[in-house]
Amino acid sequence: MTIARKIALAVAVIVILCIGTMAWLTNANLQRGFIAYLNDMQAQDLDQVSQLLAERYRREGGFEWLRHRPRAMKEVLDQMAPQLQMEPDAPGERRREREGRGVYGPPDRQGPRDGPPDDPEGRGPPRDEGRSAYGPPRRGDNGRPPPPRRDEAPRPPRPRELQDPMAFAARLTVKDEYGESVMGPRNPPAGIERPIMVDGRKVGTVQLLLLRQASGQSATAANFLRTQTRDILLLSGVLLLVAMGLAVGLARHMLRPVTALHGVTARLARGELAARAPVLSRDELGELALHVNAMAQELERNETQRRQMLADVSHELRTPLTVIRGEIEALIDGVRKADQQALESLHSEVLRLAKLVDDLHQLALADTGDLHFDMHEVELQSVLSPLLERCRPRAAAAGLALRWELPPQPVTVNGDARRLEQVVVNLLENSIRYTDRGGVIVLALRVRHDGRQLQAEITVDDSAPGVPAGAHARLFERLYRVDQARTRERGGSGLGLAICKAMVEAHGGAIAALPSEHGGVRIRITLPVITGASNQ
C-alpha cells in the first residue's frame, strides 16, 4: 500500500470516527432536547389544568364531582388550549380508539361512567359550544351530531380537529389535600406537579407523568425524530464522502515532493550525481529537498575531486617512475656509467616517490580519522624556537632572510607537538621553495581574542611571487598547483598544504591563505588557547 493510500485511509478513518461520534451525539441530544421540550410544553398545559380544577373546586365545594369520574375530567380538559396538538387519524390515536381507551387514556375501571342511562358510551350531555381541541365532536341526544336546521344551509363538513397528542389525560393524577388519589393512579412515579390553590389555600395537587421517549407516545413526534435522524445520517454520509475525496486529494498534494525526491534519490543511487530535487514547498519536505540537493552537490564535488586526484596522483607517480626507468635503462644499455652521481640521482627520485606515497597515506588516514595524535599541553615557543633555528641555514642557502616574532609570555595550546612541528615545517619549506631569491620569510606568534575565546595565531609571510587573486582558497586542495608549468624541483607534490589543513583542523583550529604585506602569501593558523595558560 502506497503512502498516499495510507494517508487517505488514516484521514478517512479519523473522519468516520469524528462524523459518527458527532452524528450519535447530535441524535442523542436531539432526543433528550425534544423530550425536554415536550415536557416543558405539557408543564404549561398542567398549569392550565391546575387553574381549571381550582375554579371547579370553588364552584362544587370539593372534589366529589371528580372522584373516579373520567367524564368529568374530560369536561375540564375540554376547556384547555393545549400547547401540542395532532390529527385525530394519527396511528397512535386510532390505536387508542380501537382499544377502547378514548382520547384521554384507558377506559374507566375505577367506577361507573357518569353518563345517563341512554348514553352507553358515557359521553354525557351535548355541549352548546362544540368541542375543544381535547374533546369529542358535538353530539345529539342519540349520540350523533344534530341535523342542520331547516332555515340553515347545510354546512360543509368540518375538518378533523386536533386531539390529545401525547396521552396527556392518561398521565394525569389528581390528589386532594390529604394526598388521596381523586383521579389516576394512587402512587404514580415522580413527575411534574402543580398545586391546586383556592383562595390562597392548597386543596390538592395535580401531577403529570414525565415523558421518557416520544416514539411510543405520538406518531407525529416519532416521525419528527426519524426525519431528523435520517437527515443527520444523510448529512454525515455526504460529509464523509467529501472528506474522503479531500483526503485523497490532500494526500496526493502532500506526496508530490516525496515522489520527486524518490525519483532524484533513485537517480543518485544509479550514479547520476547531477540530479537535483525540485523544491515544491517551504515545509519540512521542502527542507528535505534542499538537504538532498546539498548532499547531491557534495557527492558530485567529491566525485570530481576523486577523479581529479586519481589523475593527478597517476601523473605524479608516473613522473618519478619514468625518470627512474630511463636512468636504469641508460645504465643497462651502457649509455650512462653506474657511478656515484647516477646512484644519487636514482636515490633522489626514489625519495621523492616515497615522499609522495607517504603524503597520500597521511591524507588517507586523515580522511578516515585514523591519523593519531598525542594531545597534551604544548607551549608553542618551545616548539617554534628550535625549529626556526634549524630552518635558518636552509633559508640562507636559498638566498632568503628568515625572521620570527615570538611573545615573551608563554602561549599554551592543547595539541600534538610533533604534528604541529610538521605543519610549521611544511609551511616554511613551501616558502623557501617558492620565494624568489633575495626575499624574506617572517613567522609571527600572537594571542588574539575572537569575541568568544583566546586564540593563538601563527602567521607565515613571504615575499614575491604571490598567487593570483581568487586562488588563495584553492591552495589547500589536494594536488592543486597555481602554475602547472613549474618544474618538479620547485613544484612539489601539491599535497603539503592539504595535509597541514587536515592536521590543524584535527587540533580544533583553522588555517587560511591571504595576500601578504611583503608581496607573497600569508598562511594564518589559529588554535584555541588553554585559558589561564597565556597572557596577551
Side-chain angles (χ1 to χ4, degrees):
M1 182 180 292
T2 62
I3 296 180
R5 293 182 179 178
K6 290 180 180 179
I7 293 177
L9 181 60
V11 173
V13 171
I14 294 174
V15 169
I16 289 174
L17 292 176
C18 293
I19 293 179
T21 304
M22 181 191 69
W24 178 76
L25 290 176
T26 302
N27 185 60
N29 289 334
L30 177 64
Q31 292 273 1
R32 288 193 296 267
F34 185 64
I35 296 302
Y37 166 76
L38 295 178
N39 284 324
D40 185 64
M41 292 295 100
Q42 294 201 336
Q44 299 179 33
D45 291 343
L46 192 63
D47 291 334
Q48 297 184 50
V49 173
S50 173
Q51 296 176 4
L52 293 172
L53 288 175
E55 293 174 1
R56 186 68 178 270
Y57 183 93
R58 186 181 291 106
R59 292 198 306 268
E60 301 290 344
F63 284 120
E64 294 302 322
W65 58 275
L66 181 62
R67 194 176 300 277
H68 307 308
R69 300 175 66 186
R71 183 66 185 87
M73 191 66 193
K74 292 179 183 180
E75 293 178 358
V76 174
L77 296 179
D78 285 344
Q79 304 176 40
M80 287 177 52
Q83 301 290 329
L84 299 173
Q85 300 177 352
M86 66 177 287
E87 293 293 338
D89 59 348
E93 299 300 324
R94 291 199 300 268
R95 184 172 64 252
R96 285 195 293 271
E97 290 177 0
R98 286 196 302 269
E99 293 172 356
R101 294 187 298 170
V103 179
Y104 307 106
D108 182 18
R109 296 178 183 174
Q110 300 173 349
R113 297 179 181 270
D114 59 345
D118 59 348
D119 186 6
E121 297 183 2
R123 298 184 180 275
R127 301 182 62 183
D128 294 337
E129 65 276 10
R131 67 160 214 176
S132 74
Y134 276 103
R138 182 177 175 180
R139 304 284 179 173
D141 294 339
N142 56 358
R144 298 178 179 178
R149 299 180 182 177
R150 294 179 178 273
D151 56 350
E152 291 181 357
R155 297 180 179 178
R158 290 186 178 183
R160 295 184 176 182
E161 300 189 28
L162 303 177
Q163 300 204 11
D164 187 3
M166 296 291 171
F168 179 84
R171 293 183 291 115
L172 280 176
T173 298
V174 181
K175 295 182 180 180
D176 58 17
E177 58 185 329
Y178 303 107
E180 294 294 332
S181 176
V182 176
M183 176 65 64
R186 295 183 180 275
N187 297 307
I192 307 172
E193 187 174 304
R194 295 290 185 270
I196 303 174
M197 306 296 294
V198 176
D199 299 330
R201 183 173 65 91
K202 181 179 178 181
V203 298
T205 57
V206 57
Q207 181 177 341
L208 178 66
L209 183 64
L210 286 173
L211 286 173
R212 301 300 179 186
Q213 60 180 5
S215 58
Q217 302 292 336
S218 167
T220 302
N223 289 335
F224 170 77
L225 292 177
R226 280 195 297 270
T227 300
Q228 297 301 314
T229 303
R230 182 192 63 215
D231 293 343
I232 291 174
L233 294 177
L234 180 61
L235 178 61
S236 300
V238 172
L239 291 176
L240 177 60
L241 293 177
V242 172
M244 291 183 66
L246 292 176
V248 172
L250 179 62
R252 291 179 178 176
H253 174 73
M254 292 178 61
L255 291 178
R256 280 195 328 170
V258 177
T259 304
L261 288 174
H262 179 269
V264 170
T265 53
R267 292 175 60 190
L268 292 175
R270 293 194 298 267
E272 300 178 21
L273 301 181
R276 297 293 185 269
V279 181
L280 302 177
S281 61
R282 297 183 178 179
D283 53 9
E284 289 82 356
L285 292 177
E287 293 182 1
L288 179 60
L290 291 175
H291 294 163
V292 169
N293 290 340
M295 178 189 67
Q297 184 176 359
E298 186 66 19
L299 288 174
E300 186 177 20
R301 188 179 68 84
N302 291 339
E303 179 64 16
T304 302
Q305 289 182 350
R306 183 185 69 84
R307 293 178 179 179
Q308 184 64 37
M309 183 176 178
L310 287 176
D312 293 339
V313 168
S314 64
H315 175 74
E316 294 294 332
L317 291 174
R318 186 185 300 114
T319 301
L321 287 175
T322 301
V323 173
I324 294 173
R325 177 183 175 183
E327 292 189 1
I328 293 176
E329 289 178 351
L331 292 174
I332 294 174
D333 294 339
V335 176
R336 187 173 182 181
K337 295 180 180 181
D339 53 10
Q340 183 69 25
Q341 183 180 359
L343 294 177
E344 288 180 355
S345 176
L346 287 175
H347 184 257
S348 176
E349 294 299 332
V350 170
L351 291 179
R352 187 184 302 277
L353 183 60
K355 176 67 167 58
L356 176 61
V357 174
D358 185 64
D359 289 346
L360 291 173
H361 179 64
Q362 290 196 45
L363 280 176
L365 292 177
D367 288 340
T368 58
D370 294 332
L371 194 61
H372 299 292
F373 296 87
D374 183 17
M375 295 292 189
H376 58 275
E377 291 187 5
V378 177
E379 185 180 327
L380 292 180
Q381 286 94 331
S382 63
V383 173
L384 296 177
S385 293
L387 185 151
L388 291 167
E389 292 291 345
R390 291 197 306 268
C391 289
R392 174 177 281 179
R394 171 137 166 72
L400 302 173
L402 175 59
R403 301 196 301 265
W404 57 87
E405 301 173 5
L406 302 179
Q409 301 87 359
V411 179
T412 306
V413 298
N414 185 39
D416 185 334
R418 185 174 62 87
R419 297 294 186 184
L420 291 176
E421 181 179 344
Q422 182 181 352
V423 170
V424 177
V425 168
N426 280 343
L427 297 180
L428 292 176
E429 285 293 332
N430 280 346
S431 295
I432 293 173
R433 184 182 297 119
Y434 302 136
T435 304
D436 293 341
R437 179 175 289 272
V440 63
I441 301 173
V442 179
L443 185 146
L445 172 62
R446 302 178 183 87
V447 177
R448 299 184 184 278
H449 200 287
D450 63 354
R452 294 178 299 177
Q453 61 178 350
L454 291 176
Q455 296 281 346
E457 182 181 273
I458 303 173
T459 59
V460 178
D461 289 84
D462 56 34
S463 55
V467 299
H472 293 88
R474 299 195 61 190
L475 292 178
F476 300 99
E477 293 181 7
R478 300 174 183 182
L479 301 173
Y480 174 77
R481 286 181 177 143
V482 176
D483 185 4
Q484 298 295 336
R486 284 179 176 175
T487 62
R488 292 174 57 249
E489 288 76 13
R490 297 188 62 182
S493 66
L495 295 174
L497 289 179
I499 295 174
C500 291
K501 183 174 185 293
M503 290 184 178
V504 169
E505 290 179 348
H507 283 76
I511 187 170
L514 304 167
S516 173
E517 61 184 12
H518 299 285
V521 177
R522 165 178 284 189
I523 303 297
R524 184 181 63 193
I525 298 173
T526 56
L527 298 170
V529 173
I530 298 177
T531 305
S534 65
N535 299 316
Q536 290 190 11

